[in-house]
Amino acid sequence: MFDYANTLLEKGGYANLTAEERTNTDECATTELRRIRDGLLQETDKYAVSDFPMSASERTAMTQYRQELRDLPTTQNPRFQEDGGQILRNVTFPS
């Protein structure tokens, strides 16, 4: 498995990575984004059941929120912190 954290630290940040290291780092960041996204989707699964008691406007908002979560990997460009931390930057999560 690619160690993006040490690579970022050793190279002094994303701008100094080789093309292959950037690709590997980007893949790790996207995997982390999907992990977070999947957790958020799991937390809202109960609201997706058709008989969950909520108004039509609440259901519409929840449906939109869940769709925006599913779209995150294609609408965002996640990167890790330059210090190799696991916190993602360049990502705006829906609310």
Side-chain angles (χ1 to χ4, degrees):
M1 181 174 183
F2 179 73
D3 186 355
Y4 71 88
N6 282 332
T7 302
L8 281 170
L9 287 172
E10 289 171 5
K11 297 287 183 112
Y14 189 82
N16 299 325
L17 300 179
T18 66
E20 182 179 0
E21 290 166 336
R22 284 183 183 180
T23 298
N24 290 335
T25 299
D26 292 348
E27 287 174 3
C28 289
T30 300
T31 298
E32 178 64 10
L33 174 63
R34 284 191 171 114
R35 187 192 66 74
I36 295 168
R37 184 266 328 254
D38 291 350
L40 293 170
L41 281 169
Q42 187 175 15
E43 288 176 9
T44 61
D45 278 349
K46 65 182 178 185
Y47 303 114
V49 178
S50 62
D51 63 349
F52 188 87
M54 65 173 62
S55 69
S57 62
E58 291 171 326
R59 185 165 307 284
T60 298
M62 183 56 64
T63 300
Q64 180 179 346
Y65 170 74
R66 288 175 55 84
Q67 184 59 55
E68 289 173 6
L69 285 174
R70 286 190 292 276
D71 292 343
L72 279 175
T74 59
T75 62
Q76 301 295 305
N77 189 21
R79 296 281 187 268
F80 288 113
Q81 291 175 259
E82 291 290 321
D83 65 0
Q86 195 172 8
I87 296 173
L88 295 177
R89 56 189 181 90
N90 296 347
V91 176
T92 302
F93 287 92
S95 58

